[in-house]
Amino acid sequence: MLKLLAAAAIVGLPLASHALAQDPDVDCSDPVTQTDMNICAYQDWQAADKELNAVYKQAVAYAKDEDTQLADIDKNLVGALDALKKAQRAWVDYRDGHCDGMGFQARGGSMEPLLVGSCLADLTRQRTRELKELMTGLEDQGEDGGEQK
């Protein structure tokens, strides 16, 4: 029975995601039902993911520029782009696994998509901030290594 439920959940995920993306009538400023909350969490994650993708493209360009500048000094210093890609792949695996785990607090229940979607949105916004900080480099650091206000 457990295997049957797991299979149904896996098969239903793409359908649920598609359904969540298709409901424009939900007022996410004041979601009322659990379904509304789930839809809003999904839409919030999609918006956060869209911003992350835009910032990641900027970060790739930044890393390429860093590598070009470093190559002029010493080709052995190059590696910013490779490091960024490696970190991003690892972060995606972490985000997906962590948020799947968060869903187990309400596994199989109507609140599971809210928990997963909210987690995905939160971690995605956090990663976007990290990428922006990466691109500002030492410019935003004070003499003691702390952030300037």
Side-chain angles (χ1 to χ4, degrees), residues 25-89:
D25 296 332
V26 175
D27 177 7
C28 288
S29 66
D30 186 27
V32 177
T33 67
Q34 185 63 55
T35 300
D36 290 352
M37 290 180 226
N38 295 347
I39 290 168
C40 294
Y42 179 81
Q43 291 175 354
D44 186 33
W45 171 50
Q46 292 301 291
D49 192 55
K50 183 177 180 180
E51 181 184 5
L52 172 68
N53 288 326
V55 172
Y56 181 72
K57 285 180 185 177
Q58 294 170 0
V60 165
Y62 176 84
K64 285 179 181 178
D65 185 54
E66 288 291 306
D67 280 345
T68 299
Q69 291 178 36
L70 291 169
D72 290 341
I73 299 168
D74 181 348
K75 292 200 183 288
N76 293 321
L77 298 174
V78 172
L81 181 60
D82 289 341
L84 174 65
K85 288 180 177 182
K86 180 180 178 181
Q88 192 67 13
R89 284 189 299 271

Side-chain angles (χ1 to χ4, degrees), residues 88-103:
Q88 192 67 13
R89 284 189 299 271
W91 174 81
V92 167
D93 285 343
Y94 165 76
R95 179 204 61 193
D96 292 350
H98 178 75
C99 292
D100 283 347
M102 293 299 288

